[in-house]
């Protein structure tokens, strides 16, 4: 590969072909830029992204040209007898790869180099590139996290009003409990910062309940204290479902007994906060009732009901 094609500002496929190279050399070109970028990430970032986007657009233009002999030969060499991706799939793949490079560079600029505006530029670019893949019918596996990264960046740089719509969109693409829990946590902080108490509490309750149901070791609930206290402090109201959640966790872990839990929950408005209402129903009737609570909290509700049932059994005579 000639050194003239390897430059920080990058090169397009058209420019590369104009220098006398063939389609067959595209993989070598991509490899050369990837190696250069790995050595000097900030120097070659824009050039590498430019090349990847150019390759994506090259394949996108080819997607309707089913009789391109050169393209067929290139795909054959790259993938052999395996199922070959379509030009459209290849275009989406390169947009996603370019988005990954942009995300990686954003993490260098902020917080490592404390350059938030540069980080924002690359985070926005990552989102836009993944949108191009979606337009081609391919949803990137980590699109929810890419959106979460941008939304969180807005929040951390004191722009919660810009963070909110991005994080809400991220939640729409979250397909795993881990991703949903993470995004709900960040949404809770954003809502709280904007003074939207109900949504802040609801999101943090759901986030913690998701984590509890997927990661929880029975009795270990202290890892949730910081998030709970943060929402209480930000909303300036201890008597919400976030405190009801703390009561449930303390009851399950043995830090509270049933009567102590009841007294605390009575201070919370049952008409406004469904988790508090459900917990009081369980403590008073010893029956599991969670119809009005988020489904994310089902595991915790069941554990509370189990603990109450065990602790209120009549000893055998």
């Amino acid at each position: 590969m000639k050194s003239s094609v390897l430059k920080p500002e990058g090169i397009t496929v058209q420019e590369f072909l104009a220098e006398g190279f063939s389609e067959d050399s595209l993989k070598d070109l991509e490899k050369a830029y990837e190696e250069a970028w790995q050595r000097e990430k900030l120097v070659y970032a824009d050039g590498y992204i430019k090349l990847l986007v150019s390759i994506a657009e090259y394949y996108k233009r080819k997607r309707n040209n089913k009789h391109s002999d050169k393209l067929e030969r290139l795909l054959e060499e790259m993938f052999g007898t395996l199922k070959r991706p379509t030009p459209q799939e290849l275009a989406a793949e390169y947009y996603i790869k370019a988005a990954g490079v942009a995300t990686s560079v954003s993490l260098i600029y902020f917080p490592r180099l404390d350059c938030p505006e540069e980080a924002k530029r690359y985070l926005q670019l990552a989102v836009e590139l993944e949108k191009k893949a979606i337009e081609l019918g391919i949803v990137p596996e980590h699109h929810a996290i890419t959106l979460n990264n941008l939304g969180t960046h807005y929040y951390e740089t004191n722009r919660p009003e810009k963070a909110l719509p991005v994080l809400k969109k991220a939640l729409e693409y979250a397909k795993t409990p881990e991703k949903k829990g993470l995004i709900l946590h960040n949404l809770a902080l954003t809502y709280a910062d904007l003074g939207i108490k109900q949504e802040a509490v609801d999101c943090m309750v759901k986030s913690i309940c998701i984590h509890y149901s997927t990661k929880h070791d029975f009795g270990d609930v202290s890892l949730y204290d910081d998030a709970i206290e943060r929402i209480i402090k930000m909303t300036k109201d201890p008597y919400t479902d976030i405190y009801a959640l703390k009561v449930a966790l303390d009851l399950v872990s043995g830090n509270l007994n049933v009567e102590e839990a009841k007294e605390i929950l009575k201070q919370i408005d049952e008409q406004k906060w469904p988790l508090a209402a459900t917990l009081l129903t369980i403590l008073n009737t010893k029956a599991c009732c969670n119809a009005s609570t988020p489904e994310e909290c089902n595991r915790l509700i069941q554990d509370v009901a189990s603990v109450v049932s065990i602790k209120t059994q009549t000893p055998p005579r």
Side-chain angles (χ1 to χ4, degrees):
M1 190 64 59
K2 293 192 299 185
S3 59
S4 61
V5 302
L6 190 63
K7 41 197 174 185
E9 65 270 25
I11 189 172
T12 66
V13 173
Q14 289 75 17
E15 291 168 343
F16 180 67
L17 297 178
E19 291 207 15
F21 292 96
S22 69
E23 275 184 337
D24 301 342
S25 300
L26 279 178
K27 291 302 292 184
D28 292 334
L29 178 66
E30 180 190 344
K31 182 179 178 181
Y33 267 90
E34 181 173 3
E35 290 174 350
W37 176 68
Q38 291 291 354
R39 290 194 305 269
E40 300 178 89
K41 289 198 170 184
L42 296 185
V43 173
Y44 282 94
D46 289 341
Y48 188 30
I49 291 170
K50 176 181 177 179
L51 172 64
L52 292 172
V53 171
S54 178
I55 295 174
E57 292 172 349
Y58 178 71
Y59 283 125
K60 189 165 68 172
R61 286 193 297 271
K62 293 279 191 178
R63 63 182 174 175
N64 295 322
N65 184 4
K66 297 180 180 179
H67 304 291
S68 171
D69 293 336
K70 287 186 177 181
L71 182 60
E72 286 295 319
R73 188 176 73 252
L74 179 62
L75 293 176
E76 182 69 37
E77 291 175 357
M78 290 169 62
F79 300 99
T81 58
L82 298 175
K83 179 183 180 298
R84 299 196 301 261
T86 65
Q88 182 168 320
E89 290 170 336
L90 281 171
E93 176 188 323
Y94 276 97
Y95 280 132
I96 294 168
K97 190 169 185 177
V101 174
T103 296
S104 178
V105 174
S106 76
L107 298 176
I108 298 173
Y109 276 114
F110 184 77
R112 283 169 58 185
L113 297 183
D114 195 22
C115 299
E117 290 307 303
E118 279 299 298
K120 181 189 74 172
R121 178 167 73 89
Y122 284 101
L123 287 168
Q124 289 175 330
L125 178 60
V127 170
E128 291 305 314
L129 290 171
E130 289 191 355
K131 284 181 180 178
K132 290 181 179 292
I134 293 172
E135 290 169 0
L136 292 171
I138 307 296
V139 178
E141 180 183 359
H142 302 297
H143 190 53
I145 297 303
T146 302
L147 287 163
N148 174 75
N149 291 342
L150 177 59
T152 303
H153 181 81
Y154 282 137
Y155 174 78
E156 290 177 347
T157 52
N158 302 310
R159 290 173 277 194
E161 69 289 342
K162 292 182 72 69
L164 186 59
V166 178
L167 291 172
K168 288 171 71 175
K169 178 62 69 174
L171 191 60
E172 293 178 16
Y173 283 94
K175 302 304 181 185
T176 67
E178 291 78 10
K179 290 177 182 177
K180 288 179 181 178
L182 171 65
I183 295 165
L184 282 165
H185 177 94
N186 293 327
L187 265 173
L189 299 179
T190 302
Y191 276 123
D193 210 39
L194 291 168
I196 307 173
K197 181 170 65 176
Q198 183 80 44
E199 285 80 357
V201 170
D202 289 348
C203 285
M204 189 59 80
V205 166
K206 289 177 181 178
S207 174
I208 292 175
C209 280
I210 287 172
H211 192 280
Y212 177 93
S213 65
T214 58
K215 303 288 187 183
H216 174 60
D217 292 326
F218 193 82
D220 178 19
V221 297
S222 60
L223 67 154
Y224 306 122
D225 287 347
D226 287 346
I228 290 170
E229 291 302 321
R230 189 171 181 181
I231 289 298
I232 290 175
K233 183 176 180 180
M234 292 178 76
T235 59
K236 299 179 176 63
D237 186 355
Y239 299 116
T240 69
D241 264 352
I242 199 69
Y243 200 32
L245 175 67
K246 179 172 174 58
V247 170
L249 292 168
D250 282 339
L251 185 62
V252 167
S253 64
N255 295 330
L256 285 177
N257 62 40
V258 172
E259 293 306 316
E260 290 170 333
K262 284 183 185 179
E263 290 305 309
I264 297 172
L265 290 170
K266 286 177 183 177
Q267 301 175 70
I268 302 173
D269 185 351
E270 296 178 58
Q271 301 300 315
K272 187 174 182 181
W273 301 106
L275 180 59
T278 296
L279 292 173
L280 271 173
T281 298
I282 294 172
L283 299 186
N284 287 323
T285 67
K286 307 179 188 64
C288 189
C289 169
N290 63 339
S292 61
T293 54
E295 62 177 341
E296 292 86 354
C297 295
N298 285 349
R299 163 73 187 277
L300 179 60
I301 293 297
Q302 290 166 4
D303 285 352
V304 169
S306 177
V307 168
V308 171
S309 176
I310 292 170
K311 290 184 177 181
T312 56
Q313 286 179 351
T314 302
R317 294 184 179 180

